Amino acid sequence: MCDVAGSIGSVVSPVLEVGKWLVVPISHQFKYLFNYNTNFKNLEKEVKKLKNTKEEVHDQVDAAERNLGKIKQNVKDWQNDVEKAITKVEQLIQEKADNQRYSKGLCCNFIIHYKHSKKAFKLKRDNVDPLLQQGKELGPVSSRTNPLLEIWLRSSEDYLAFESRNSTMKNVWDALIDENVFMTGVYGMGGIGKTTLVQELGRKAKMDQLFEDIVFVEVSESPDIKKIQTAIADNLGLKFENESERAKALYSRMEGNVIQTRELYSLPNDVCKECGGLPIVISIIAKALKNKSRLSDWKYALQELRAPSPAKFTGFLEKDYTKIALSYKYLRDDELKKTFLISSLMKNNTSILDLFKHVVCLDILGGVNLTMEDARDRLDKLVDDLKDACLLLNGVESEQFAMHDLVRAIATTIAYVDHHVFTMRNDVERDWKDRDKLKKCTKISLPGNNTIISQLLPSDLDCPDLEYFSVSNMSNPSFEILKDSFTMLSKLKVLNLVELQQLSLPSSIIVLTNLQTLCLDNSEIKDFAIIGKLETLKVLSLQELDIEVFPLELGQLTQLRLLDLSDCRQLKVITPNVISQLSKLEEFYIKGCPIKWKHEVLKELKLLSNLTSLELDIEDNNVLPKDFISKELRRYKITIGYEYYEDPRSKYLRILEIACNSPISQEELYGINNVEVLRIVKSLDDEEDLDKKQMLPLFNEKVIFTNLMVLKLVNISFGRIWKSQLSTFSFQNLTQMMLVKCDKIKHVFPFSIAKSLEQLQYLMIKDCKVLDKNVEKERTEVVNFIFPRITKLELTDLPKLTIFYQGTDALELPILKTLKIVRCPNFTLRCQSFQDNNEDGEIQDSESKSIFFGQKILSYSS
């Protein structure tokens, strides 16, 4: 027995000893399980900082390259390492999300959580944290860094197209686009409008993207060369490290730093000749070859330009296909190429939001775990890059884009040849009837009145690789999508059926198990039951549908991230407990809908923790929950208490419009202070105690709007807008102010507020009956300088207005461009430093008056 006991003891003792050694590492491993959520939160927090630093460095690199800077290798290496680290983090976060969605079994969860938590901890420690620290220590990204300055060009407001000018204009323009002309002169006696004509040509050349940069510099009769060089350099954002290299640096910065190098000989001219003198082609090729210094690059470009186009294309396509296709080949990555090709399927002046709906689920925008906001930012950058390459153009409005017809034709051809994209622009009958080619088809974009699609549906649309199917303008009531139309489209991700004249969708739509985007804008759809079964949907657009009640079936779309119900003019009721089910919703657009909002339904919106973009109208501000507008909202257009109006060209992201009948405090603005555009109107239920209101300011002293850029007040009943002791930081970024029909206000600004509005550029005051001065005097000293940045001043229908500011003999408006004074019979304005070349505007009145601009007197009368 003793021997046995001794044997047991000899076994137990080592086990205990080993146990002691294992306690520390095992407890350390358990920390990965205990800190699972913490490790991921820390990782996500730090990688967000890293992304911000990455964007900052990227901007610095862009600026440095524009200023002829050579980017340091350690900066390039850091950028590459950051991209790799971010990709690893996003993949891990996606793995975590997939595990939560599909995991089964407690033990399995523990093992996976342990592995993921450990990866998260090490990724932060070994990758993200060191890269963040390196980012802080990078220093200058190149040997030259300089913020880019805005290139000044006169607007076209002053230009009058006299018939006598037209022939001269045409001659100069023809010379500008002639590749063999390198210098053009305009001559004539003084005062006939040479400067104005040249400025107008510059504006037109800039708008048509004829040149990348346009600089306007006035040269005197006895030119100061150094001064001229400095002016050009300032406009181009160029600084000289060595004054002796001034001319050389300017020369390099202006045609690029490669085109005149001796090694290239005549290649640039040969390439330009192959462009056939067409400005759009020259611009595109120039952007593609900018800063290409290797001889092989130019030889390859020339070879490509001279190569025949695909044999099946004739006419201008045969001549110009290779020219624009070359620029497409030079795009730096697949994201740009794919975005360009999808853009070619859209009509001109399509909104970037609509483009976003079409591309966000097509694996075009990088990063599997991007939020909708991150993807939007990414798309904005891609669109800007394509505009820089002259492959996209600005649309009519700020959030739109367009494409030159020639570029579009080439783009759809490239899409057809390289990616089997079928459109009407390559309507080759035999190809549509070729079943083998249809089976390779990846995208189809057609107008609804086309006969081909009705011939193909349903049995012949056998496209197993089709991921994008768009049929627009389906206004023909005889056209019908039959019940089996989608049976052979198993990979379809995006389905766009605009103006579909059917009450319900075909039953075969439920076989589209990969469908992520569905757009039914302006359709006749009434039956939404089947849409609720599309569980994979992430984007649903139902603009301008005639629905009266928010469909209950939409509550089943738990993966939905973007929902657009804009301008559904019959939509009045939203059933409770439906919106709150859309827990992953990030963007919600429901403007232009006459909904009778209830307090409990609006509270549901607050429960959507991922929501970052919101557009809606609320008729009754009494139903608003406290702190309704969350600080997480990055984009919003919200109207409270009156009919919504917005400038369609608005470039701002955060717009709030409210009806008001009592002084506004920060609390009454629902705690929000990041608004960019604020419009306030008189409430319809405004109380009658106007005498009391006349003594009260609209904004109390606690109101802070550090990001506010535009303020418009319409028909308010207050006698004052601000209290004089208001924080000067509150409105410091205000650039535009409009005051309309405010009949109780006698003066707009207290002096203390006026002097803090250094960014104000546009001031418009109209139809204010008792207003007698713009700035109220608060001090005895004379101050001559109030609004240094105003470029446009409009004063209309102000019968009592006499002066701008009582405390000054003259008002300095050094960069004023437009002055409009209409029906202000008692007003005299004295301005100093009003530049002659800025003079513009409309001055009308019932009595003769004078406006003084320094030593010059401008008389006006009706």
Side-chain angles (χ1 to χ4, degrees):
M1 294 290 292
C2 289
D3 289 339
V4 174
S7 299
I8 293 173
S10 64
V11 173
V12 170
S13 180
V15 169
L16 289 174
E17 288 300 315
V18 171
K20 291 177 183 177
W21 286 101
L22 288 177
V23 165
V24 173
I26 289 176
S27 65
H28 183 68
Q29 303 303 319
F30 268 109
K31 286 183 179 178
Y32 290 127
L33 273 179
F34 295 146
N35 296 326
Y36 174 76
N37 289 326
T38 301
N39 285 343
F40 269 98
K41 285 181 180 177
N42 290 340
L43 177 63
E44 290 171 355
K45 179 181 177 182
E46 294 305 298
V47 84
K48 186 175 182 181
K49 292 180 183 176
L50 184 60
K51 288 180 179 178
N52 291 337
T53 304
K54 182 193 80 167
E55 289 302 317
E56 291 171 3
V57 172
H58 176 74
D59 291 343
Q60 293 173 23
V61 168
D62 274 355
E65 288 177 337
R66 182 173 173 82
N67 199 34
L68 306 179
K70 183 178 179 181
I71 307 304
K72 295 178 180 177
Q73 188 59 45
N74 70 313
V75 175
K76 296 179 181 178
D77 294 342
W78 182 85
Q79 288 180 306
N80 290 332
D81 292 342
V82 167
E83 288 291 345
K84 292 176 183 177
I86 290 174
T87 300
K88 287 180 181 178
V89 171
E90 289 177 341
Q91 287 174 344
L92 179 60
I93 293 173
Q94 184 62 41
E95 287 175 16
K96 176 194 173 192
D98 292 342
N99 173 60
Q100 291 174 338
R101 191 179 306 154
Y102 301 114
S103 62
K104 296 179 180 178
L106 186 62
C107 182
C108 177
N109 277 352
F110 281 155
I111 295 171
I112 294 174
H113 280 198
Y114 164 77
K115 290 181 178 179
H116 284 170
S117 182
K118 186 175 182 180
K119 281 184 181 179
F121 177 81
K122 290 190 173 181
L123 265 177
K124 176 182 176 296
R125 182 192 66 189
D126 301 338
N127 296 76
V128 177
D129 286 348
L131 286 169
L132 260 177
Q133 187 59 35
Q134 291 170 24
K136 296 176 182 177
E137 299 169 356
L138 282 177
V141 298
S142 75
S143 57
R144 298 169 184 253
T145 54
N146 185 55
L148 302 181
L149 302 179
E150 181 181 356
I151 298 174
W152 178 82
L153 279 175
R154 281 280 287 179
S155 72
S156 62
E157 295 173 355
D158 295 341
Y159 185 76
L160 295 176
F162 297 128
E163 189 172 343
S164 58
R165 282 180 174 172
N166 289 342
S167 60
T168 306
M169 186 87 168
K170 183 180 184 305
N171 290 338
V172 178
W173 183 254
D174 289 343
L176 286 176
I177 63 177
D178 188 336
E179 63 186 72
N180 297 311
V181 176
F182 300 98
M183 184 179 294
T184 305
V186 180
Y187 66 92
M189 63 179 290
I192 64 172
K194 299 187 301 296
T195 299
T196 303
L197 184 141
V198 168
Q199 289 170 342
E200 173 64 12
L201 281 164
R203 187 197 65 80
K204 178 173 170 53
K206 184 69 172 177
M207 185 174 65
D208 290 357
Q209 299 183 349
L210 187 61
F211 305 108
E212 180 180 352
D213 292 307
I214 296 174
V215 177
F216 183 86
V217 180
E218 293 191 84
V219 181
S220 63
E221 195 170 332
S222 302
D224 183 335
I225 301 299
K226 185 174 180 180
K227 186 176 180 180
I228 294 171
Q229 290 175 336
T230 301
I232 295 174
D234 287 345
N235 277 275
L236 293 174
L238 179 64
K239 276 193 174 180
F240 308 113
E241 288 186 345
N242 189 330
E243 285 294 313
S244 64
E245 296 181 354
R246 175 188 298 271
K248 184 178 178 181
L250 265 179
Y251 188 78
S252 296
R253 174 63 181 84
M254 291 195 292
E255 283 210 75
N257 56 3
V258 300
I259 196 166
Q260 296 295 340
T261 56
R262 184 175 301 172
E263 293 78 7
L264 295 180
Y265 301 103
S266 64
L267 277 172
N269 286 334
D270 294 339
V271 167
C272 192
K273 288 177 182 177
E274 288 300 322
C275 294
L278 198 61
I280 181 66
V281 176
I282 294 172
S283 296
I284 290 172
I285 296 300
K287 290 293 182 73
L289 291 172
K290 179 183 178 181
N291 294 329
K292 298 285 184 184
S293 58
R294 292 185 302 181
L295 195 66
S296 57
D297 288 328
W298 288 82
K299 283 185 174 180
Y300 170 76
L302 192 59
Q303 181 181 352
E304 287 287 300
L305 290 172
R306 288 173 173 170
S309 63
K312 61 176 62 127
F313 302 111
T314 58
F316 75 91
L317 281 180
E318 184 177 13
K319 186 168 61 174
D320 295 321
Y321 174 86
T322 53
K323 299 177 177 65
I324 294 176
L326 177 63
S327 183
Y328 167 79
K329 290 179 182 179
Y330 273 117
L331 291 176
R332 68 173 185 269
D333 55 41
D334 281 344
E335 273 185 314
L336 274 171
K337 291 178 179 178
K338 291 177 180 178
T339 302
F340 169 61
L341 295 181
I342 287 289
S343 300
S344 71
L345 305 180
M346 311 276 175
K347 63 182 181 181
N348 276 345
N349 300 316
T350 292
S351 72
I352 295 176
L353 175 58
D354 281 342
L355 175 63
F356 178 70
K357 293 175 186 176
H358 285 241
V359 302
V360 70
C361 295
L362 283 179
D363 299 327
I364 290 178
L365 305 176
V368 293
N369 200 49
L370 285 182
T371 64
M372 299 297 269
E373 185 65 34
D374 289 340
R376 284 278 290 270
D377 290 342
R378 183 64 188 155
L379 180 62
D380 287 342
K381 178 66 168 62
L382 293 173
V383 169
D384 286 342
D385 288 347
L386 289 172
K387 288 180 179 178
D388 287 342
C390 294
L391 292 174
L392 285 185
L393 305 172
N394 291 323
V396 171
E397 298 175 6
S398 62
E399 291 298 312
Q400 294 178 340
F401 67 92
M403 185 179 287
H404 193 284
D405 286 346
L406 173 61
V407 176
R408 188 186 304 280
I410 303 301
T412 51
T413 303
I414 294 171
Y416 172 78
V417 173
D418 295 349
H419 301 283
H420 310 289
V421 178
F422 280 55
T423 71
M424 281 307 299
R425 290 180 178 271
N426 40 56
D427 182 7
V428 183
E429 190 74 19
R430 65 179 180 272
D431 289 343
W432 283 100
K433 291 182 178 179
D434 189 325
R435 289 179 176 273
D436 290 335
K437 288 192 175 182
L438 271 178
K439 285 186 177 181
K440 296 178 182 178
C441 182
T442 60
K443 298 176 182 67
I444 291 177
S445 178
L446 293 171
N449 56 6
N450 182 261
T451 57
I452 289 178
I453 195 67
S454 56
Q455 294 171 20
L456 293 172
L457 288 172
S459 58
D460 289 334
L461 196 60
D462 183 7
C463 304
D465 290 332
L466 193 71
E467 61 174 7
Y468 176 94
F469 185 30
S470 177
V471 187
S472 58
N473 302 321
M474 305 167 68
S475 54
N476 185 354
S478 64
F479 177 83
E480 184 178 6
I481 297 182
L482 304 177
K483 63 178 182 179
D484 296 325
S485 295
F486 301 122
T487 53
M488 292 179 283
L489 306 177
S490 58
K491 290 187 179 180
L492 196 66
K493 292 182 178 179
V494 176
L495 179 58
N496 180 44
L497 302 173
V498 175
E499 297 185 9
L500 181 62
Q501 304 296 300
Q502 293 178 215
L503 298 180
S504 61
L505 293 168
S507 57
S508 61
I509 199 171
I510 62 174
V511 306
L512 303 179
T513 54
N514 287 302
L515 190 66
Q516 297 181 46
T517 297
L518 177 61
C519 299
L520 299 171
D521 298 343
N522 204 15
S523 297
E524 296 295 324
I525 296 291
K526 302 291 184 185
D527 183 1
F528 292 87
I530 200 165
I531 294 181
K533 296 180 181 179
L534 301 175
E535 297 179 355
T536 55
L537 272 190
K538 294 182 179 178
V539 175
L540 178 60
S541 186
L542 303 174
Q543 291 186 33
E544 299 186 58
L545 265 63
D546 290 334
I547 52 178
E548 297 182 2
V549 180
F550 192 89
L552 293 173
E553 293 82 6
L554 299 191
Q556 302 171 47
L557 303 176
T558 56
Q559 300 301 311
L560 204 62
R561 297 168 70 181
L562 185 154
L563 176 59
D564 193 344
L565 292 165
S566 301
D567 299 314
C568 291
R569 299 294 181 184
Q570 307 302 318
L571 182 57
K572 297 179 180 178
V573 177
I574 295 188
T575 308
N577 303 319
V578 178
I579 290 180
S580 58
Q581 296 179 52
L582 307 176
S583 58
K584 293 192 175 180
L585 199 63
E586 297 178 43
E587 301 194 9
F588 188 25
Y589 305 100
I590 195 167
K591 261 200 161 300
C593 304
I595 298 170
K596 306 295 183 183
W597 287 98
K598 295 184 178 179
H599 179 80
E600 57 269 25
V601 176
L602 288 172
K603 284 184 70 175
E604 290 184 54
L605 282 174
K606 287 187 62 179
L607 298 176
L608 301 178
S609 58
N610 295 311
L611 196 66
T612 59
S613 296
L614 177 64
E615 294 185 6
L616 82 165
D617 305 323
I618 302 171
E619 184 177 317
D620 183 3
N621 58 8
N622 293 320
V623 300
L624 281 172
K626 186 178 180 182
D627 297 332
F628 171 68
I629 304 174
S630 120
K631 293 180 180 178
E632 283 69 35
L633 284 178
R634 176 141 180 226
R635 304 171 189 254
Y636 56 81
K637 294 177 183 175
I638 299 173
T639 302
I640 302 171
Y642 77 108
E643 185 176 351
Y644 172 73
Y645 168 78
E646 182 206 345
D647 178 0
R649 291 181 173 82
S650 176
K651 62 182 179 180
Y652 301 101
L653 298 181
R654 297 181 292 276
I655 300 173
L656 178 63
E657 304 190 272
I658 59 174
C660 164
N661 59 11
S662 60
I664 294 175
S665 65
Q666 197 68 23
E667 294 76 20
E668 287 169 319
L669 281 173
Y670 322 109
I672 191 159
N673 58 12
N674 67 346
V675 63
E676 294 177 337
V677 178
L678 178 62
R679 295 191 181 98
I680 301 176
V681 302
K682 180 180 179 180
S683 175
L684 295 176
D685 60 350
D686 200 356
E687 73 257 19
E688 296 299 323
D689 191 1
L690 298 180
D691 290 337
K692 181 180 178 182
K693 278 190 168 183
Q694 203 160 344
M695 303 299 295
L696 296 173
L698 174 63
F699 298 113
N700 76 4
E701 64 273 13
K702 294 182 180 179
V703 172
I704 298 177
F705 287 126
T706 54
N707 295 306
L708 188 67
M709 300 178 74
V710 179
L711 176 62
K712 184 171 184 178
L713 308 178
V714 180
N715 198 24
I716 61 171
S717 302
F718 295 87
R720 290 191 289 165
I721 301 172
W722 291 283
K723 293 190 72 170
S724 58
Q725 65 267 37
L726 186 70
S727 167
T728 56
F729 299 105
S730 183
F731 293 82
Q732 62 181 351
N733 288 311
L734 195 67
T735 60
Q736 299 180 41
M737 183 168 175
M738 292 143 278
L739 201 65
V740 180
K741 294 185 178 179
C742 297
D743 290 340
K744 305 301 177 185
I745 292 181
K746 296 189 70 175
H747 46 259
V748 183
F749 308 100
F751 176 80
S752 57
I753 300 297
K755 72 175 184 179
S756 70
L757 301 180
E758 294 185 357
Q759 304 302 318
L760 193 65
Q761 299 171 20
Y762 172 50
L763 176 61
M764 185 269 278
I765 307 173
K766 180 179 180 180
D767 201 10
C768 298
K769 294 180 180 177
V770 300
L771 187 134
D772 59 12
K773 65 177 74 74
N774 286 316
V775 180
E776 180 185 20
K777 183 179 178 182
E778 294 175 351
R779 303 180 180 181
T780 56
E781 64 265 27
V782 173
V783 180
N784 289 341
F785 200 69
I786 298 181
F787 296 126
R789 294 185 183 271
I790 281 199
T791 60
K792 188 171 184 179
L793 176 62
E794 296 185 16
L795 305 172
T796 305
D797 289 314
L798 306 174
K800 296 288 184 71
L801 183 65
T802 56
I803 57 173
F804 200 94
Y805 172 52
Q806 187 177 358
T808 182
D809 180 58
L811 177 66
E812 288 197 20
L813 299 170
I815 59 173
L816 187 68
K817 292 181 180 179
T818 302
L819 175 64
K820 180 178 180 180
I821 302 176
V822 180
R823 291 184 294 278
C824 300
N826 297 301
F827 180 58
T828 297
L829 176 64
R830 291 178 177 269
C831 295
Q832 290 182 354
S833 303
F834 184 88
Q835 299 181 20
D836 287 352
N837 62 349
N838 283 337
E839 185 180 330
D840 180 28
E842 172 184 354
I843 305 175
Q844 304 170 5
D845 218 302
S846 59
E847 299 179 19
S848 293
K849 287 291 171 183
S850 294
I851 297 181
F852 297 83
F853 299 123
Q855 301 300 314
K856 182 177 66 174
I857 301 177
L858 176 63
S859 298
Y860 67 93
S861 62
S862 58

